[in-house]
């Protein structure tokens, strides 16, 4: 079968069968000393040229059949979706998941090849407008840098499509900046809660109040992690490897217990029966409607609970275990003391949580955070 050559890119040639409309990519294989042709599944010359140019730009060599079967990565969303399995293995996997969701939502359709600093400035402004700190924007874009570099390394993205991603903080500023939310007092938390417009946001915030967890753990949580027999809530889903950001097993506070009842199987926080990727946008909007001073996010609740525990005289080790700052001690004696199956397991921390939630509830005017609406 005769082929005519249309164009050459690297070791690949754009070819067309003589007398036929379809285009092929041809290349010479040294090991077999033969030229092979693979269909590009198109009759459009421009599309055929783009496919072959992309193969060469990605550094593909040899038989291109596998590379042709891969979907080209063109947009921010496509590269981040490709990067998700890599991000899941990272020490900051929890943050990476939230960052990926934020970038997909705010700039997912952006073509990497045409991205310019102004595009990232718009992302920065949109994120800051939602109450995200500049240091968090800086960390978020670090995830995108890793994603595009990983895509190039795996020959899924041409290196010349890798955009310049601006740095919005110097290294020294990034080191010194506090990426977390400011500490809120109980009255401020109550004011924000009263501005929550959706049940899934209220559920997520109630679980945050009662656990002090990082938001990623709450959004990952399913009903299978709630042990009603022993009154325990395991914040680490089955099959998930623990990271440095330890997800502890916590006793279920009396103020949380009603919110663990009569739940549909699956994720605890859902929207239209689907898991929720992030709530910082909704929580930040509620804080703005409450006319708070700014700098609040879901991490603010974790800060507030930690400080409240200190004022209640909870031992530092118990606070650290509750908040997942450290994993359970290796000492057999200490591990026995802090065994989840002991009646006094993290008891003082649990009592402080309940006092914390009751105080916030006393300031709430619109929502009842002690009784879920589905039990009324």
């Amino acid at each position: 079968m005769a082929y005519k050559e249309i164009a050459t890119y690297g070791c690949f040639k754009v070819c067309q069968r003589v007398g036929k409309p379809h285009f092929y990519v041809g290349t010479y294989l040294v090991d077999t000393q033969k030229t092979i042709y693979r269909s590009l599944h198109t009759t459009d010359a421009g599309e055929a040229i783009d496919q072959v140019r992309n193969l060469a730009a990605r550094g593909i060599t040899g038989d291109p059949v596998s590379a042709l079967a891969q979907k080209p990565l063109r947009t921010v969303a496509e590269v981040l979706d490709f990067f998700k399995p890599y991000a899941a293995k990272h020490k900051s996997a929890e943050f990476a998941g939230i960052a990926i969701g934020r970038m997909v939502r705010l700039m997912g359709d952006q073509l990497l090849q045409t991205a310019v600093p102004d595009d990232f400035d718009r992302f920065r402004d949109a994120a800051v407008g939602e109450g995200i700190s500049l240091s968090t924007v800086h960390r978020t874009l670090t995830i995108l840098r890793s994603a595009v570099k990983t895509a190039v390394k795996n020959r899924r993205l041409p290196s010349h499509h890798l955009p310049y991603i601006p740095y919005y903080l110097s290294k020294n500023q990034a080191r010194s900046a506090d990426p977390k939310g400011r500490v809120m007092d109980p009255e401020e938390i109550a004011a924000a809660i009263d501005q929550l417009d959706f049940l899934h946001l209220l559920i997520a915030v109630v679980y945050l109040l009662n656990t002090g967890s990082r938001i990623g753990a709450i959004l990952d949580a399913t009903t299978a992690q709630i042990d009603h027999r022993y009154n325990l809530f395991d914040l680490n889903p089955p099959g998930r490897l623990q990271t440095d950001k330890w997800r502890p097993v916590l006793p279920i506070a009396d103020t949380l217990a009603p919110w663990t009842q009569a739940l549909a199987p699956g994720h605890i926080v859902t929207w239209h029966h689907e898991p929720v990727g992030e709530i910082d946008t909704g929580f930040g909007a509620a804080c703005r409607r409450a006319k708070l001073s700014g700098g609040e996010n879901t991490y603010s609740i974790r800060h507030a609970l930690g400080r409240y525990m200190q004022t209640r005289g909870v031992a530092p080790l118990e606070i650290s275990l509750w908040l997942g700052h450290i994993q359970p001690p290796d000492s057999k004696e200490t591990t026995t003391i802090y065994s989840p199956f002991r009646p006094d397991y993290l008891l003082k921390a649990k009592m402080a949580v309940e006092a914390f939630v009751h105080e916030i509830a006393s300031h709430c005017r619109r929502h009842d955070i002690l009784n879920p609406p589905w039990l009324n």
Side-chain angles (χ1 to χ4, degrees):
M1 185 70 69
Y3 293 86
K4 61 179 180 179
E5 297 178 6
I6 307 298
T8 300
Y9 298 96
C11 61
F12 298 110
K13 300 180 185 298
V14 183
C15 304
Q16 191 175 29
R17 277 186 179 179
V18 176
K20 300 291 183 180
H22 286 86
F23 287 90
Y24 294 77
V25 55
T27 189
Y28 180 76
L29 300 182
V30 176
D31 55 344
T32 62
Q33 298 185 349
K34 291 182 179 180
T35 297
I36 62 169
Y37 298 90
R38 300 300 186 191
S39 176
L40 295 172
H41 302 288
T42 182
T43 58
D44 183 277
E47 183 179 340
I49 289 172
D50 283 345
Q51 287 191 58
V52 177
R53 184 190 288 126
N54 184 275
L55 289 173
R58 286 160 55 191
I60 302 298
T61 58
D63 190 340
V65 64
S66 297
L68 287 170
Q70 296 171 338
K71 180 183 177 182
L73 301 178
R74 302 178 186 276
T75 67
V76 167
E78 290 168 350
V79 166
L80 290 172
D81 186 63
F82 167 76
F83 185 64
K84 280 181 179 179
Y86 298 89
K89 299 174 183 177
H90 198 271
K91 285 186 176 181
S92 299
E94 187 173 303
F95 174 81
I98 295 172
I100 287 171
R102 182 178 295 121
M103 283 186 283
V104 169
R105 179 169 51 80
L106 294 179
M107 63 179 309
D109 293 335
Q110 174 65 52
L111 289 171
L112 289 163
Q113 185 178 7
T114 60
V116 295
D118 281 351
D119 296 312
F120 296 102
D121 288 349
R122 282 189 286 273
F123 166 76
R124 174 202 61 197
D125 294 343
V128 170
E130 293 182 350
I132 304 303
S133 70
L134 192 59
S135 59
T136 299
V137 172
H138 177 87
R139 293 178 66 208
T140 297
L141 290 176
T142 296
I143 301 299
L144 182 57
R145 290 188 193 94
S146 297
V148 294
K149 289 177 181 178
T150 301
V152 169
K153 183 178 179 181
N154 284 271
R155 299 183 177 179
R156 296 296 305 276
L157 181 72
S159 58
H160 66 272
H161 286 189
L162 198 158
Y164 170 71
I165 303 173
Y167 290 84
Y168 294 110
L169 291 177
S170 69
K171 289 184 178 180
N172 287 336
Q173 287 173 318
R175 289 190 191 103
S176 61
D178 182 2
K180 313 303 183 184
R182 74 171 182 84
V183 180
M184 301 168 71
D185 61 39
E187 291 90 345
E188 290 178 315
I189 296 174
I193 288 172
D194 280 340
Q195 294 297 325
L196 297 175
D197 289 335
F198 298 100
L199 180 59
H200 74 281
L201 296 177
L202 180 61
I203 293 171
V205 169
V206 167
Y207 273 79
L208 286 174
L209 293 174
N210 282 278
T211 64
S213 170
R214 302 172 183 90
I215 184 57
I218 299 302
L219 298 183
D220 285 347
T222 68
T223 55
Q225 293 166 239
I226 298 172
D227 185 340
H228 290 289
R229 180 180 179 185
Y230 293 104
N231 204 39
L232 296 172
F233 182 19
D234 187 347
L235 285 168
N236 199 50
R240 176 188 177 273
L241 293 176
Q242 289 278 18
T243 67
D244 290 344
K245 294 184 177 180
W246 192 265
R247 293 188 182 182
V249 177
L250 298 180
I252 296 174
D254 293 346
T255 44
L256 179 61
W259 295 80
T260 68
Q261 303 295 324
L263 297 175
H267 282 81
I268 294 170
V269 182
T270 62
W271 172 252
H272 294 306
H273 308 293
E274 294 293 330
V276 174
E278 61 92 20
I279 70 158
D280 282 288
T281 302
F283 184 75
C287 291
R288 290 193 294 275
R289 289 194 295 270
K291 295 181 171 52
L292 301 183
S293 60
E296 307 87 10
N297 58 36
T298 53
Y299 217 97
S300 299
I301 294 175
R302 177 176 168 84
H303 279 328
L305 178 58
R307 180 173 293 183
Y308 192 89
M309 286 181 172
Q310 289 178 326
T311 65
R312 302 282 293 194
V314 180
L317 176 59
E318 197 163 335
I319 295 174
S320 295
L321 287 168
W322 186 284
L323 295 178
H325 290 153
I326 60 173
Q327 67 183 62
D330 293 330
S331 164
K332 291 182 179 180
E333 293 78 9
T334 312
T335 301
T336 300
I337 294 171
Y338 290 101
S339 167
F341 300 100
R342 284 177 59 101
D344 57 349
Y345 171 61
L346 298 179
L347 182 58
K348 289 186 177 179
K350 175 175 175 285
M351 293 171 62
V353 166
E354 291 165 355
F356 177 68
V357 176
H358 275 291
E359 182 171 343
I360 294 168
S362 71
H363 298 292
C364 290
R365 298 293 176 263
R366 179 185 175 194
H367 293 302
D368 183 355
I369 62 172
L370 299 178
N371 298 289
W374 59 84
L375 294 184
N376 294 335

